[in-house]
Amino acid sequence: MAAQQRELILAVETSCDETSVAVVERGVTILSNVVSSQIETHRKFGGVVPEIASRKHVESITRIIEDAVREAGIELRDVSAVAVTQGPGLVGSLLVGLVSAKALAFALEVPLIGVHHIAGHIYANALVQELTYPLIALVASGGHTELVYVPAEGQFRIIGRTRDDAVGEAYDKVARAMGLPYPGGPHVDKLAAQADEEIELPRAWLEDDSYDFSFSGVKSAVLAIVNQAKMKGDVVNKAGLALGFQRSAVDVLVTKAMRAAKEFSASQLLLCGGVAANRGLRAALGEACERAGVPLAVPPLSLCTDNAAMIAAAGYLKWKRGQFTAFDMKAEPLFSLESWSVVQN
Ligand code: KG4
Ligand code: ZN
């Protein structure tokens, strides 16, 4: 079959601490999705160290590209376009992906497509099911917490975002204060499930009509309880605290997402980003959607966390429309999602 007919997008994702390359056919069929995580390297520092992250990307990107092409069972010359995360993310990390993608696209003489990372998280869902519009996406990860209104394919409007910590970041900081390993979200989730009583914590609702979030208040409340107990020599009920934190975060996320789904008459609610793995969040959102009669879509875990297949899925939106990116494109650490829409307002 001719290369162009197969519509094979090779995508590169290096925005944070995962080096990933994928090959996806027609925006939906994953032929390979290789992810190399740097978690072990950053764990001893309790978080991602940007300088180390970019060096690690440099060390592994060539091998990951080769692995992804081999696993996909294709030849590099079969590739129709190269997509790459342009932003947001850590600038040094983004640059490694960008330079590799440019070199590949230039050598193969195929189009280059810069992709918005959040559009990737949202379109991870397109790899597992058909999307129906209008939809609301709740993006919850270590770097982002956003409610996005998607009126039609490839069109984005951020209606709410965190004003301070991302929800995953707050999970990680709470976990660290409780002496749990990095990344702490899954550990807090596990502890919360073991609690017999909840230590109640505040919820940050902000203004009545706001879809924004704030997690630094509840995070500080946890830190204060842990520190006070330490000073007094008391033992903290860590499980109760984990449950209190989880309920506070989940309550606000679910309530605002459901309000948005109603206001924007969403025919689907998407949950994406690493925090979509959280059992409390999945359960609460599942119940709320069932009550409201709104179908909920959550990608499998491997597609919730950072990966290049989601970048290929989003890149395909631009490929279909012939919207390619110039070879002098720059890394955009603070890239705006709206500006990446396939139709400009
Ligand atoms: O999407 P992701 O892999 O990376 C970013 O783009 O940020 O998300 C990672 C975040 C981390 O903060 C991690 O603690 C959190 O997702 N996370 C969880 C759970 N699993 C991962 N947070 C709460 N509960 C979980 N089960
Ligand atoms: Zn991400």
Side-chain angles (χ1 to χ4, degrees):
M1 196 183 278
Q4 293 304 322
Q5 278 171 327
R6 283 194 74 185
E7 296 187 290
L8 294 178
I9 297 200
L10 182 146
V12 179
E13 152 67 41
T14 61
S15 65
C16 190
D17 60 343
E18 261 96 26
T19 318
S20 180
V21 179
V23 178
V24 174
E25 187 161 6
R26 252 176 311 206
V28 289
T29 310
I30 302 174
L31 303 187
S32 64
N33 188 20
V34 181
V35 182
S36 165
S37 170
Q38 304 175 359
I39 282 182
E40 288 312 320
T41 307
H42 297 288
R43 183 164 281 149
K44 53 181 170 294
F45 303 105
V48 177
V49 184
E51 206 34 54
I52 296 177
S54 28
R55 282 181 201 191
K56 286 266 154 199
H57 288 308
V58 172
E59 280 170 21
S60 50
I61 188 76
T62 311
R63 179 176 50 84
I64 308 281
I65 291 173
E66 285 167 1
D67 288 354
V69 169
R70 195 179 43 249
E71 255 185 49
I74 62 156
E75 299 289 333
L76 264 179
R77 62 169 179 273
D78 300 334
V79 167
S80 318
V82 178
V84 60
T85 307
Q86 193 178 354
L90 303 170
V91 68
S93 293
L94 289 167
L95 276 172
V96 179
L98 231 64
V99 170
S100 318
K102 284 182 186 180
L104 257 181
F106 185 73
L108 297 170
E109 297 182 36
V110 295
L112 180 67
I113 302 168
V115 175
H116 194 286
H117 183 78
I118 302 292
H121 273 302
I122 294 172
Y123 275 85
N125 280 284
L127 294 162
V128 279
Q129 69 179 87
E130 204 167 315
L131 304 186
T132 57
Y133 302 92
L135 63 82
I136 291 286
L138 171 59
V139 186
S141 76
H144 332 273
T145 307
E146 270 125 35
L147 271 171
V148 185
Y149 171 53
V150 186
E153 188 182 84
Q155 294 180 38
F156 307 96
R157 199 175 112 208
I158 294 187
I159 55 169
R161 50 159 50 97
T162 182
R163 293 184 186 172
D164 39 61
D165 291 352
V167 62
E169 183 184 359
Y171 262 99
D172 294 341
K173 289 178 180 169
V174 160
R176 192 175 178 169
M178 292 203 243
L180 300 168
Y182 173 84
H187 299 280
V188 174
D189 191 10
K190 214 182 210 167
L191 256 185
Q194 293 161 3
D196 350 285
E197 57 167 347
E198 173 190 354
I199 297 180
E200 275 204 45
L201 293 169
R203 278 126 175 87
W205 296 111
L206 306 176
E207 304 79 30
D208 280 352
D209 58 348
S210 175
Y211 286 117
D212 281 352
F213 301 99
S214 167
F215 296 102
S216 73
V218 62
K219 172 201 71 186
S220 301
V222 174
L223 267 49
I225 292 172
V226 172
N227 288 335
Q228 271 165 21
K230 248 188 221 158
M231 282 191 304
K232 288 192 205 151
D234 292 347
V235 178
V236 208
N237 172 3
K238 284 190 189 169
L241 204 50
L243 182 61
F245 171 76
Q246 178 137 311
R247 289 221 173 126
S248 165
V250 167
D251 196 7
V252 178
L253 287 167
V254 171
T255 305
K256 295 205 179 206
M258 295 315 295
R259 183 156 60 79
K262 190 163 177 231
E263 185 183 334
F264 290 88
S265 308
S267 62
Q268 214 174 23
L269 184 69
L270 310 184
L271 175 61
C272 39
V275 183
N278 186 272
R279 283 176 281 181
L281 178 58
R282 288 171 97 107
L285 202 56
E287 279 165 29
C289 280
E290 202 163 322
R291 268 199 308 274
V294 179
L296 173 67
V298 191
L301 205 54
S302 58
L303 296 175
C304 284
T305 47
D306 289 351
N307 68 90
M310 71 184 198
I311 301 304
Y316 187 69
L317 304 175
K318 298 261 172 168
W319 161 260
K320 273 200 294 196
R321 294 167 174 81
Q323 296 175 351
F324 307 134
T325 318
F327 274 76
D328 64 354
M329 82 157 133
K330 300 197 168 37
E332 299 284 354
L334 305 172
F335 209 7
S336 129
L337 179 60
E338 278 95 349
S339 75
W340 195 79
S341 295
V342 295
V343 177
Q344 296 301 322
N345 298 319

